[in-house]
Amino acid sequence: MKNITTVFLAVFSVICWAQEKETDSLGSVKLDEIIVIGKKTSLHQKQVKSLTTVEDYLSQSSKVNMIKRGAYAWEPVLNNMATERTVITIDGMRIFGACTDKMDPITSYVEVSNLAEATVASGQQASCHGSTIGGSVDLKRNKFDQNKTGWNGSLNSGFESNNLQKIIGGSLGYNDTRFYAHIDFMHRDAENYKAGGDKEIAFSQFTKYNISANAGYFINKKNLLEASAIYDKANNVGYPALPMDVSLAEAQIMSLSYKYLPDSGVISNWETKVYFNTITHKMDDTKRPNVPIHMDMPGWSDTYGFYSKIKGRFENHNFLADLNSFYNKSIAEMTMYPKDPNENLMFMYTWPDVRTFYNGLALEDNIAISETDQLRISTNLGFHSNTVANDFGLQSLQIFYPDMKATKNRFLKSFSGNYTKNISPFEFGFGLAYAERAPSVSEGYGFYLYNSNDFYDYIGNPDLKNEKALEGNFSVGFKKNKLTSKITGSYFYFSDYIIGKIDPNALPMTIGASGVKIYEAIDHAVIFNTDFNLEYAFLEHWQLKSQLTYSLGKDNDGNNLPFISPFKYSAGINFQKEKFNAGISALGNLAQNEFASTYGQTRTPDYLIFNINAGYAFNWDKNILKVQSGVENIFDKYYTTYADWNKIPRMGRNVFVNLAFSFN
């Protein structure tokens, strides 16, 4: 395998590239990464698998990895930092999952059919509606196209052979000069998937429904009102890497916004939005055999929020001011049912009705120092407050923290500066930043949360200090004729790094657990990331894309941090001519020898898989039928990666067909 890997790297050099959006030279420093998902540009026609998951699209980014616990709802990891240290939004809205085991990341509540793009911001290069250290991802839905009027719509259908996944969906929209409306529907149903060698992975099935709608009305040319809603429901979701499945994951997301769109003046755009979302998540083990004691673990998360964002331009300054606020209520319960009906039920709050209130102000200025030099400076100031509203839950935590108060207030701040210089054909950039974050609900108030990866029960710590990080980043880009390449790197030095540490004096509650870990703020930790992207067009219709990434993470004792990616690579050759496209690609990891044994991880071997695809677009007047097909993991390799919970194997050979018919 290592020989194959070496040969492959020698031939292709380096991976799969995530598209970057060109911006005005005076607009902003080009540090954010744009991943095209929907119908925004013709790039959608070139996607290898147009009806794949949002997580697959995000994986195009060298900054994003996915922790997988099954075939559904993968957890995004940005700069090798999990969701506690990052911010993920949908159209700028803060949404919080209702699952203590992270089975419901925000990305699971949208579909590729109603998204236009994802903006990936690394570290403090952008902080979207709240404090973040690792970075942010904003999932942006399809917007009104003022160049098109009348009715438009689409029908989508897909099939995947490995898990017999059936996909069907459609959309319908209407635009005129003053009003627009759009509704989108998508349904997925999959059975258990098979790993390489035709090994069936039990409890990996899922069923999902998603409905997205928005409507807007132009009061006049400069003023727009827009309402939107998302309803997403998944049931019968299996998680083979976990001891429990999910009977229901349901999200209702609503918003109302007002946009001021002047055609001249200092202000270029002013958007104010109010929103509400409610998440319901129910874990159960009723379909699992040989369960020692049956449990129900439901959770609920309600969020109310608003933001008011102004963008403008004055002389050589492009500025942004964002005032944002949210109020979140998170509750999670656990009920144990003894096999002896005469014994009492055992009940406790795993999230004791934690109320989180946040008020923040983000300011950013992009300064065009000259035609070749740009400087972006930003700051984010926030007030963060947690209150435990449930007396029983408060008393439970006071067993460990007798002096604990119901309310904990924090002040969070971040600052950053990024400088870029363009000396054609090169572009150089570097930046420095400081950031803070508050503990998550689980880190601060979780009560006996079982981690099936390291077999420990976790208990939160409300007395944790704010986690802090100093960041340094750099980039070097080259673009000339048909060759584009870029190398980026980031170094994070953490103070008061939050991680679970074994408490030998506490007894576990979960049957079979190895012990109890309590979240602590260790003195320091470091994470280093670097990636190299290359894209080369040749022979008129051919294109080579390649990518390499390397990461390293250590705690204050020199131990490896968990879930840090080993050396990762990917490469592909694509052919595009008129209505036809085809390609072959490969991706893999080297062995994870720098694994976090202190935190319960073990070695993961290397792997390399190959994929092939082809597609064609049929046109009738303004109607288009796109056909995309391909084979993933051609050689049916049995493999697992460092990011697969409990070493659950990934999907073996999979043949897919996607059909998309659109009309205008």
Side-chain angles (χ1 to χ4, degrees):
M1 175 58 72
K2 291 183 179 179
N3 292 333
I4 296 175
T5 300
T6 303
V7 171
F8 187 83
L9 288 174
V11 174
F12 287 108
S13 162
V14 265
I15 131 177
C16 179
W17 159 277
Q19 297 90 349
E20 279 194 46
K21 181 168 63 175
E22 294 293 331
T23 57
D24 184 86
S25 62
L26 298 179
S28 62
V29 181
K30 293 181 285 185
L31 296 172
D32 297 347
E33 188 174 20
I34 306 298
I35 298 172
V36 176
I37 296 176
K39 303 175 183 177
K40 187 173 181 179
T41 71
S42 59
L43 287 172
H44 176 69
Q45 300 177 20
K46 302 178 184 179
Q47 295 297 341
V48 170
K49 190 178 177 183
S50 57
L51 296 182
T52 189
T53 63
V54 174
E55 292 92 341
D56 268 343
Y57 277 97
L58 290 177
S59 296
Q60 296 177 27
S61 169
S62 58
K63 301 291 189 295
V64 180
N65 293 314
M66 294 288 166
I67 295 178
K68 297 189 178 184
R69 298 170 174 88
Y72 181 77
W74 307 332
E75 179 190 357
V77 175
L78 183 57
N79 278 324
N80 287 282
M81 299 181 214
T83 48
E84 297 88 356
R85 296 180 173 88
T86 61
V87 171
I88 299 179
T89 53
I90 300 175
D91 285 333
M93 297 181 288
R94 292 300 301 267
I95 304 169
F96 297 88
C99 176
T100 57
D101 282 355
K102 300 184 180 181
M103 294 177 175
D104 62 340
I106 308 311
T107 48
S108 67
Y109 293 120
V110 288
E111 267 292 346
V112 293
S113 56
N114 52 54
L115 290 180
E117 64 184 34
T119 303
V120 179
S122 175
Q124 295 307 301
Q125 292 176 3
S127 54
C128 183
H129 303 292
S131 57
T132 177
I133 290 179
S136 64
V137 178
D138 189 26
L139 303 170
K140 298 181 179 181
R141 291 193 292 164
N142 292 318
K143 300 299 182 182
F144 166 69
D145 186 351
Q146 60 184 3
N147 297 318
K148 296 181 179 180
T149 59
W151 292 95
N152 60 83
S154 66
L155 293 172
N156 302 304
S157 180
F159 178 78
E160 301 193 16
S161 66
N162 186 289
N163 59 352
L164 303 182
Q165 181 179 174
K166 284 78 67 179
I167 306 169
I168 188 166
S171 67
L172 184 64
Y174 176 79
N175 300 344
D176 65 23
T177 56
R178 298 289 295 273
F179 172 79
Y180 63 88
H182 184 269
I183 187 169
D184 178 279
F185 170 78
M186 184 70 78
H187 170 62
R188 297 176 184 267
D189 182 77
E191 300 178 15
N192 291 336
Y193 74 85
K194 296 180 178 63
D198 205 37
K199 180 181 177 181
E200 182 174 343
I201 306 302
F203 310 109
S204 60
Q205 78 291 336
F206 65 87
T207 301
K208 172 188 171 74
Y209 304 85
N210 181 276
I211 301 174
S212 173
N214 61 66
Y217 176 73
F218 283 90
I219 301 171
N220 52 45
K221 292 183 178 180
K222 298 182 179 180
N223 296 274
L224 169 66
L225 282 175
E226 184 178 64
S228 68
I230 297 174
Y231 177 75
D232 187 279
K233 180 180 179 180
N235 50 36
N236 188 29
V237 182
Y239 285 89
L242 299 173
M244 302 186 75
D245 300 315
V246 172
S247 60
L248 176 68
E250 184 178 47
Q252 301 174 54
I253 304 167
M254 292 157 279
S255 68
L256 179 66
S257 65
Y258 164 74
K259 297 179 182 179
Y260 175 58
L261 307 167
D263 50 17
S264 62
V266 174
I267 297 176
S268 59
N269 186 293
W270 186 354
E271 179 185 12
T272 299
K273 177 181 289 186
V274 294
Y275 59 87
F276 166 73
N277 55 77
T278 179
I279 311 294
T280 301
H281 194 272
K282 296 181 178 180
M283 290 187 283
D284 74 79
D285 53 13
T286 55
K287 295 183 179 180
R288 294 296 180 98
N290 305 318
V291 176
I293 182 169
H294 168 59
M295 291 186 294
D296 284 334
M297 295 183 66
W300 301 268
S301 173
D302 296 337
T303 305
Y304 304 81
F306 91 94
Y307 67 79
S308 187
K309 181 188 301 183
I310 298 176
K311 295 181 180 180
R313 180 171 178 172
F314 179 73
E315 296 181 347
N316 64 331
H317 296 265
N318 278 264
F319 62 85
L320 178 148
D322 186 347
L323 177 65
N324 57 88
S325 180
F326 68 80
Y327 176 82
N328 173 260
K329 174 182 178 181
S330 293
I331 303 175
E333 303 173 353
M334 181 172 67
T335 303
M336 298 183 183
Y337 299 86
K339 291 184 177 180
D340 186 349
N342 296 318
E343 295 183 14
N344 293 328
L345 301 181
M346 290 175 284
F347 173 87
M348 68 179 184
Y349 285 101
T350 49
W351 283 346
D353 194 358
V354 181
R355 313 290 178 92
T356 302
F357 175 69
Y358 178 85
N359 244 330
L361 175 64
L363 302 172
E364 180 182 303
D365 188 12
N366 296 284
I367 307 167
I369 300 172
S370 67
E371 291 184 358
T372 60
D373 300 82
Q374 298 183 57
L375 176 66
R376 174 159 72 177
I377 55 176
S378 65
T379 184
N380 188 46
L381 305 174
F383 171 77
H384 182 282
S385 177
N386 286 129
T387 299
V388 178
N390 183 276
D391 290 337
F392 178 70
L394 178 63
Q395 293 166 8
S396 298
L397 282 168
Q398 285 174 338
I399 296 173
F400 296 91
Y401 309 100
D403 299 327
M404 173 186 172
K405 305 298 182 184
T407 298
K408 179 78 171 181
N409 296 326
R410 302 171 185 270
F411 181 66
L412 305 172
K413 51 193 177 293
S414 68
F415 312 94
S416 72
N418 290 90
Y419 171 79
T420 59
K421 186 175 185 66
N422 289 279
I423 307 176
S424 184
F426 291 96
E427 179 184 85
F428 303 92
F430 69 88
L432 296 172
Y434 170 82
E436 298 177 352
R437 75 167 181 99
S440 67
V441 172
S442 290
E443 292 170 332
Y445 304 95
F447 195 68
Y448 283 100
L449 305 178
Y450 180 61
N451 184 318
S452 62
N453 189 64
D454 64 7
F455 310 112
Y456 278 84
D457 283 335
Y458 279 67
I459 294 175
N461 183 352
D463 297 328
L464 286 169
K465 298 178 181 179
N466 295 341
E467 187 177 272
K468 311 165 189 69
L470 289 171
E471 176 196 350
N473 59 73
F474 73 91
S475 65
V476 179
F478 177 86
K479 185 174 184 179
K480 188 173 184 180
N481 299 328
K482 298 180 180 182
L483 175 65
T484 302
S485 64
K486 189 172 186 179
I487 183 171
T488 68
S490 59
Y491 179 84
F492 297 86
Y493 181 90
F494 295 85
S495 301
D496 299 315
Y497 184 84
I498 300 172
I499 200 164
K501 304 290 285 186
I502 296 174
D503 184 345
N505 299 316
L507 297 176
M509 182 174 294
T510 304
I511 297 174
S514 300
V516 172
K517 288 185 178 182
I518 293 181
Y519 284 105
E520 296 181 10
I522 62 176
D523 181 66
H524 68 268
V526 297
I527 294 178
F528 171 72
N529 306 289
T530 185
D531 60 80
F532 177 68
N533 294 272
L534 180 143
E535 180 175 333
Y536 178 63
F538 63 100
L539 299 178
E540 188 175 1
H541 301 295
W542 294 85
Q543 186 180 59
L544 165 69
K545 296 181 180 181
S546 61
Q547 184 187 80
L548 294 173
T549 66
Y550 173 75
S551 303
L552 180 70
K554 300 283 186 179
D555 68 10
N556 58 337
D557 293 323
N559 300 309
N560 295 311
L561 293 176
F563 291 105
I564 300 295
S565 173
F567 186 84
K568 184 176 72 169
Y569 58 91
S570 162
I573 293 179
N574 297 311
F575 175 82
Q576 175 80 31
K577 184 177 181 180
E578 297 176 350
K579 302 175 183 180
F580 176 75
N581 67 83
I584 184 170
S585 64
L587 66 154
N589 284 352
L590 296 189
Q592 175 60 299
N593 294 317
E594 302 294 324
F595 55 91
S597 57
T598 303
Y599 300 101
Q601 288 193 306
T602 57
R603 182 183 183 275
T604 306
D606 62 349
Y607 78 92
L608 174 63
I609 62 170
F610 293 87
N611 308 313
I612 191 169
N613 67 277
Y616 193 85
F618 301 88
N619 295 73
W620 297 280
D621 297 327
K622 296 182 179 181
N623 305 320
I624 302 174
L625 174 64
K626 301 174 188 175
V627 181
Q628 292 289 149
S629 63
V631 184
E632 299 168 318
N633 193 357
I634 297 173
F635 300 110
D636 198 31
K637 181 175 179 58
Y638 183 94
Y639 72 104
T640 186
T641 80
Y642 80 100
D644 295 315
W645 204 258
N646 282 329
K647 297 291 192 296
I648 188 74
R650 297 208 175 184
M651 188 176 289
R653 184 185 299 111
N654 180 44
V655 180
F656 70 87
V657 178
N658 290 170
L659 303 175
F661 175 76
S662 59
F663 63 89
N664 293 292

